[in-house]
């Protein structure tokens, strides 16, 4: 469907009217569902191999995300320099191969903890390239006007997969076993590859080419010159480091606190994902760049609700609290993502989103190790409570900073410098921010 130059398409699913994005989204739903099935099976396998060791689970989680911390800026550079569609096809093909190798080791009964750890590190290395490329590719699929809606729908299908994946994994783990779950994950990558292969390259909204090489240092300088990007990035760093360790806390909460089996672990993860899905659908209505205060208030809500979940007395109350926590978590993540992505010009978007990925994914190794040590000493509830308390404190500090900023600092200069290889500080897609955008 086409629209006039001055109109905006309407409707919750408006970006799905774009054929290329529709194909991409369908492939992602299948693949991400398989990934979450794999995450559930992998966590349960590690606990089974190590007699419920939180330290071992934290180590595997850290190894899965450490490559993102080390390599994602290079991945963002590749995304800004290469054909994103071809890069994504290569990354998904390699991920499928690694997933299949781990499946074979489990099915043949030779699997050891180091096999799981090595597979996690290998997949993490691929993710260091795939994640910033995928995030920045959405803009090429739909263009700037539909980007907020497409980003929200991407979060919606991601969280739909988070609902379906753990629930299916919990059912299959108790019926057909771990190897079958892992095999389904390996096969699910074919859906993403098919969707990418069917995309019409001529209909992509390619970014304007950047003179010279797309250097990592230029991206860092660009962000440093943008105060409106620095604050949400810093807040996201603290919240992700302390509060986004559910891959570690939830299986231990289910197994060691509530003394349940794999199916119940899947239900706790599903409760978190249901709340996240609701928030993703709410944010599809967003049509522009969110204000800084929106990001901060969402972080306050997340910290408070995660703290509440840590004190939930029983399984039903924990599920309810986790559902509310999931809503606040996704709403905060989307607000921060939209503020960063919609404030960045296309020629720098790959590197800026690589920095965002470095923060959101790369903080996980440190957070997982610290949370694992905390849980080993004080229990699974302490992991949730401490994450919520630290996130709440960081958000309140950011809120105080916003209130004390009088007059608000301008995010951008009044006029853009001429185009050159060094980074510009005035994004072409956004108007300069006003007082309300920073402090409202």
């Amino acid at each position: 469907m086409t629209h006039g130059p001055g109109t905006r398409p309407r409707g919750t699913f408006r970006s799905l009217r774009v054929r290329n994005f529709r194909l991409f989204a369908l492939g992602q739903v299948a693949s991400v569902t398989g990934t979450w099935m794999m995450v559930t099976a992998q966590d349960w396998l590690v606990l089974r191999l190590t007699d419920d060791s939180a330290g071992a689970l934290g180590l595997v989680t850290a190894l899965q995300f450490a490559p993102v911390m080390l390599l994602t800026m290079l991945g963002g550079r590749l995304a800004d320099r290469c054909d994103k569609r071809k890069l994504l096809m290569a990354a998904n093909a390699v991920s499928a191969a690694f997933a299949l190798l781990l499946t074979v080791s489990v099915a043949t009964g030779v699997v050891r903890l180091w096999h799981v750890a090595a597979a996690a590190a290998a997949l993490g290395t691929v993710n260091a390239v795939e994640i910033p490329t995928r995030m920045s590719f959405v803009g090429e699929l739909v263009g700037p006007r539909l980007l907020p809606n497409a980003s929200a729908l991407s979060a919606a299908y991601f969280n739909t997969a988070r609902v379906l994946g753990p629930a299916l994994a919990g059912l299959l783990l108790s019926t057909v076993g771990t190897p079958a779950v892992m095999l389904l994950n390996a096969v699910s990558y074919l859906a993403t590859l098919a969707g990418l292969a069917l995309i019409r390259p001529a209909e992509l909204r390619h970014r304007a080419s950047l003179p010279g090489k797309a250097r990592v240092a230029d991206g860092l300088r660009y962000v440093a010159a943008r105060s409106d990007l620095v604050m949400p990035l810093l807040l996201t760093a603290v919240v992700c480091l302390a509060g986004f360790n559910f891959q570690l806390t939830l299986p231990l909460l289910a197994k060691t606190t509530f003394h349940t089996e794999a199916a119940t672990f899947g239900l706790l993860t599903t409760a978190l994902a249901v709340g996240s899905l609701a928030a993703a659908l709410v944010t599809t209505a967003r049509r522009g760049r969110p204000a800084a205060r929106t990001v901060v208030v969402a972080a306050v809500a997340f910290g408070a609700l995660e703290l509440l979940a840590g004190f939930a007395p029983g399984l039903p109350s924990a599920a309810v609290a986790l559902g509310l926590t999931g809503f606040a978590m996704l709403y905060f993540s989307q607000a921060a993502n939209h503020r960063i992505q919609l404030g960045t010009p296309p020629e720098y978007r790959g590197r800026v989103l690589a920095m965002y990925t470095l923060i959101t994914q790369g903080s996980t190794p440190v957070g997982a190790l610290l949370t694992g040590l905390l849980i080993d000493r004080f229990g699974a509830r302490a992991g949730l409570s401490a994450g919520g308390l630290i996130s709440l404190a960081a958000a309140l500090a950011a809120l105080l900073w916003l209130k004390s900023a009088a007059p608000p600092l301008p995010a951008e200069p009044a006029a853009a410098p001429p185009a050159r290889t060094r980074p510009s500080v005035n994004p072409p897609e956004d108007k300069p921010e006003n007082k309300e955008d920073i402090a409202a």
Side-chain angles (χ1 to χ4, degrees):
M1 178 179 293
T2 59
H3 303 272
T7 65
R8 288 178 183 265
R10 298 181 180 275
T12 300
F13 303 102
R14 54 191 177 275
S15 56
L16 288 177
R17 298 170 189 165
V18 179
R19 177 185 179 276
N20 280 349
F21 180 72
R22 188 165 61 248
L23 288 169
F24 178 75
L26 289 173
Q28 287 290 305
V29 168
S31 179
V32 177
T33 300
T35 297
W36 278 102
M37 292 173 66
M38 175 68 176
V39 167
T40 305
Q42 174 184 282
D43 291 349
W44 209 253
L45 177 64
V46 170
L47 293 176
R48 179 168 62 83
L49 291 173
T50 62
D51 195 24
D52 300 339
S53 170
L57 185 56
L59 175 63
V60 171
T61 302
L63 288 172
Q64 186 169 344
F65 290 96
V68 178
M69 182 171 61
L70 298 173
L71 302 173
T72 193
M73 291 303 297
L74 295 176
R77 182 189 183 198
L78 283 174
D80 280 337
R81 295 183 64 184
C82 302
D83 185 311
K84 294 180 178 63
R85 186 177 73 96
K86 293 179 179 178
L87 197 57
L88 286 172
M89 291 181 73
N92 279 274
V94 173
S95 294
F98 283 130
L100 188 59
L101 285 174
L102 182 60
T103 301
V104 171
S105 71
V106 175
T108 56
V110 300
V111 66
R112 298 293 183 270
L113 180 62
W114 73 266
H115 294 154
V116 184
L123 289 169
T125 302
V126 178
N127 286 340
V129 176
E130 194 272 344
I131 294 172
T133 305
R134 169 168 42 84
M135 292 176 68
S136 56
F137 187 51
V138 173
E140 291 190 6
L141 289 168
V142 299
R145 287 189 174 185
L146 284 173
L147 183 56
N149 178 257
S151 177
L153 285 179
S154 296
Y157 67 63
F158 181 84
N159 284 281
T160 298
R162 287 183 65 184
V163 173
L164 295 175
L168 288 173
L171 176 63
L172 293 174
L173 284 171
S174 59
T175 54
V176 296
T178 302
V181 175
M182 292 185 169
L183 179 61
L184 285 173
N185 170 58
V187 172
S188 71
Y189 285 104
L190 297 178
T192 296
L193 289 170
L196 289 167
L198 291 171
I199 282 174
R200 296 169 182 164
E203 296 177 9
L204 295 174
R205 281 77 167 173
H206 291 289
R207 60 172 175 81
S209 60
L210 184 67
K213 294 182 178 180
R215 298 180 298 181
V216 171
D218 288 340
L220 296 174
R221 279 195 293 267
Y222 177 82
V223 171
R226 294 285 305 279
S227 61
D228 62 318
L229 299 182
V230 171
M231 189 279 288
L233 284 169
L234 289 177
L235 181 57
T236 299
V238 177
V239 172
C240 288
L241 178 68
F244 283 16
N245 294 301
F246 298 107
Q247 185 176 347
L248 177 63
T249 55
L250 293 191
L252 288 165
L253 187 70
K255 206 167 195 299
T256 64
T257 301
F258 297 128
H259 307 290
T260 58
E261 297 302 323
T264 303
F265 162 47
L267 289 176
L268 284 179
T269 307
T270 298
L272 186 78
V274 166
S276 301
L277 176 59
L281 293 175
V282 167
T283 57
T284 59
R286 182 173 290 144
R287 294 180 177 274
R289 195 179 184 212
R293 183 168 292 184
T294 300
V295 179
V296 175
V297 171
V300 170
F302 167 75
L305 288 167
E306 185 178 22
L307 181 61
L308 179 66
F311 288 102
L315 188 62
S317 58
V320 172
L322 285 169
L324 295 173
T325 301
F327 185 95
M329 176 183 69
L330 195 281
Y331 197 92
F332 163 72
S333 297
Q334 283 292 88
N337 180 291
H338 290 160
R339 183 154 182 83
I340 293 164
Q341 187 166 184
L342 294 173
T344 305
E347 59 266 30
Y348 291 102
R349 193 167 287 153
R351 281 162 290 172
V352 172
L353 288 176
M355 191 177 303
Y356 176 77
T357 303
L358 173 62
I359 289 170
T360 57
Q361 304 285 329
S363 61
T364 301
V366 179
L369 289 173
L370 294 177
T371 303
L373 293 173
L374 182 66
I375 291 174
D376 274 339
R377 187 173 180 84
F378 299 106
R381 290 185 185 279
L384 277 175
S385 300
L389 186 61
I390 294 171
S391 299
L392 179 60
L396 290 174
L399 188 61
L400 289 175
W401 180 85
L402 285 179
K403 288 185 176 180
S404 66
L409 295 174
E412 304 147 19
R420 58 186 186 275
T421 58
R422 295 179 63 84
S424 165
V425 295
N426 190 28
E429 292 182 6
D430 293 318
K431 297 179 181 179
E433 292 182 331
N434 52 30
K435 180 177 180 179
E436 290 74 16
D437 189 38
I438 295 178

